Amino acid sequence: MFDPSLLGRLSFKLAMPDQAPLPAGRNWLGIAQERDAMLYVPSGLDTTAEVPLLVMFHGAGGFPEKVLPFLEHHAEQRRFLLLLPHSMLPTWDIVIGGNGPDLERLNAALTKVSSHFRIDPKHFGFAGFSDGGSYSLSTGISNGDLVSHVIVFSGGFMSVFVQQGTPRVFIAHGLVDEQLPIETSGRAHASKLKAAGYDVEYVEFNGRHIIHPPIVELAMDFFLMDKR
């Protein structure tokens, strides 16, 4: 039988937690001895209710602690869980050769989080920067029956073999991106997704290949718009 994971499909399913909530702050999930995933839990989180979850994928050569500072205070102030996976190689498997071990690790990380918290299916987002943005876009569109929001900060490409569901999509790209030209990445992705019927919010900013804090603020508004 053909393995759906080869098409980027997650096997993870939302479920009721069967373990106590993890403490506030930074928690390593223990799904691997090396290159583990981190979960940031905001203080004062109401763990009796469904909670938003945002998964943030780092860029090439990155790691959880590198992208955490851009989102940690948003998670704390706006009370959402922040999951930061770590690619098994210097960048994500889909960039190197196709879906594989990183998708398996993502399944494991999501299952671990779901065992401790009840995830809000209306606010379950994938986000990422650069190669992580490509991973977020590709995996989010492939699992749009599970993921409600897809956020792309300066992503380079979109590799989608199967489209499922209709997640809302936020794409931001710098006008003078020196690594991934805006014409062939941000603009092209937004145009293709809009033509396919997706609800897309597209933002261009006067900057290079960076995570731009004001754009992150807009993306968090996009993710949590109806949670205010």
Side-chain angles (χ1 to χ4, degrees):
M1 182 179 291
F2 189 79
D3 186 349
S5 68
L6 297 176
L7 301 179
R9 291 286 291 163
L10 289 161
S11 60
F12 168 75
K13 304 295 181 185
L14 291 171
M16 291 296 291
D18 56 6
Q19 299 182 46
L22 295 173
R26 303 176 183 184
N27 296 269
W28 292 105
L29 291 184
I31 61 169
Q33 291 186 342
E34 297 181 355
R35 306 177 81 86
D36 196 8
M38 177 191 290
L39 180 70
Y40 181 81
V41 180
S43 58
L45 186 67
D46 180 4
T47 57
T48 65
E50 293 180 336
V51 294
L53 171 65
L54 185 65
V55 184
M56 177 67 183
F57 302 99
H58 61 73
F63 44 89
E65 298 96 327
K66 188 170 183 177
V67 291
L68 178 62
F70 293 97
L71 290 164
E72 186 173 32
H73 68 283
H74 291 288
E76 180 65 27
Q77 292 174 1
R78 304 182 73 161
R79 300 291 189 273
F80 64 86
L81 297 170
L82 178 61
L83 174 62
L84 302 115
H86 197 164
S87 62
M88 292 185 66
L89 295 173
T91 192
W92 302 95
D93 53 12
I94 196 173
V95 181
I96 298 172
N99 294 289
D102 286 328
L103 197 69
E104 294 177 12
R105 286 276 187 93
L106 180 57
N107 272 313
L110 290 172
T111 299
K112 181 76 171 181
V113 173
S114 185
S115 72
H116 293 280
F117 299 94
R118 188 153 59 103
I119 299 169
D120 180 358
K122 295 181 179 179
H123 298 90
F124 177 15
F126 281 5
F129 168 66
S130 192
D131 277 4
S134 300
Y135 195 83
S136 170
L137 181 58
S138 302
T139 308
I141 296 298
S142 299
N143 294 276
D145 51 343
L146 178 68
V147 176
S148 62
H149 295 72
V150 175
I151 297 171
V152 185
F153 301 117
S154 303
F157 68 88
M158 176 170 52
S159 178
V160 177
F161 296 101
V162 56
Q163 295 174 232
Q164 293 287 343
T166 54
R168 299 187 64 220
V169 182
F170 178 99
I171 297 175
H173 214 97
L175 289 167
V176 288
D177 191 317
E178 74 284 7
Q179 295 188 33
L180 301 170
I182 192 170
E183 293 83 3
T184 56
S185 46
R187 288 176 183 169
H189 299 155
S191 178
K192 288 178 182 178
L193 290 170
K194 287 178 180 178
Y198 287 89
D199 180 359
V200 178
E201 183 170 334
Y202 177 61
V203 179
E204 297 182 351
F205 61 94
N206 187 20
R208 298 170 71 85
H209 192 68
I210 59 170
I211 301 178
H212 193 35
I215 298 299
V216 175
E217 184 80 37
L218 291 177
M220 297 305 99
D221 287 343
F222 166 84
F223 177 49
L224 300 167
M225 184 177 299
D226 57 347
K227 294 290 285 185
R228 293 178 180 178

